[in-house]
Amino acid sequence: QVQLVESGGGLVQPGGSLRLSCAASGRYLNISNMAWYRQAPGKERDLVGVITSDTRPYYAHSVKGRFTLSRENTKNTAYLQMNSLQPEDTAVYSCNAQISRYPGDTMRTYWGQGTQVTVSS
């Protein structure tokens, strides 16, 4: 069993900041890439960013310069620091990770349940 749990969402005013966390738990061996996605009402789910196992971040153009990805491999936790938030950033933010459970296992995709981020005055 493997679980990803997001936290840190909430209501924030335009220009504000939030920090999201994604923690892995359960029985697993390795975690490769960890990523954040977001989905606004009536829109498709979009990639926000990816951070590799060696902590290399990649960002969607829409969040470059405002959002920062990081991770603590000893805790198997990924973070998304969101600054200068705007109403367009309102969405459910979900964590995604590639995880193997045991030697020889394939890397499987796991998703968290998502955390709501609402940017409004």
Side-chain angles (χ1 to χ4, degrees):
Q1 59 174 347
V2 181
Q3 289 183 309
L4 296 174
V5 179
E6 303 98 335
S7 62
L11 175 64
V12 65
Q13 292 185 328
S17 299
L18 286 173
R19 190 184 192 189
L20 307 183
S21 299
C22 173
S25 64
R27 194 177 185 89
Y28 59 88
L29 180 63
N30 292 315
I31 300 178
S32 183
N33 296 338
M34 301 186 77
W36 287 96
Y37 289 76
R38 66 184 182 184
Q39 186 170 27
K43 300 183 66 177
E44 294 184 345
R45 183 163 58 192
D46 294 327
L47 176 67
V48 175
V50 179
I51 185 163
T52 64
S53 59
D54 59 352
T55 71
R56 294 183 179 182
Y58 300 87
Y59 301 96
H61 181 73
S62 60
V63 305
K64 285 183 179 178
R66 299 189 298 122
F67 292 9
T68 302
L69 289 160
S70 62
R71 67 189 290 173
E72 298 180 17
N73 288 336
T74 57
K75 298 171 61 177
N76 288 319
T77 301
Y79 303 93
L80 180 65
Q81 177 67 46
M82 305 185 295
N83 298 326
S84 301
L85 284 163
Q86 300 299 314
E88 306 86 78
D89 298 314
T90 296
V92 174
Y93 285 71
S94 300
C95 179
N96 167 281
Q98 307 299 311
I99 301 173
S100 63
R101 296 169 295 170
Y102 48 83
D105 190 27
T106 60
M107 304 299 290
R108 299 171 182 262
T109 300
Y110 293 85
W111 290 89
Q113 296 89 346
T115 184
Q116 177 71 47
V117 172
T118 302
V119 185
S120 176
S121 60

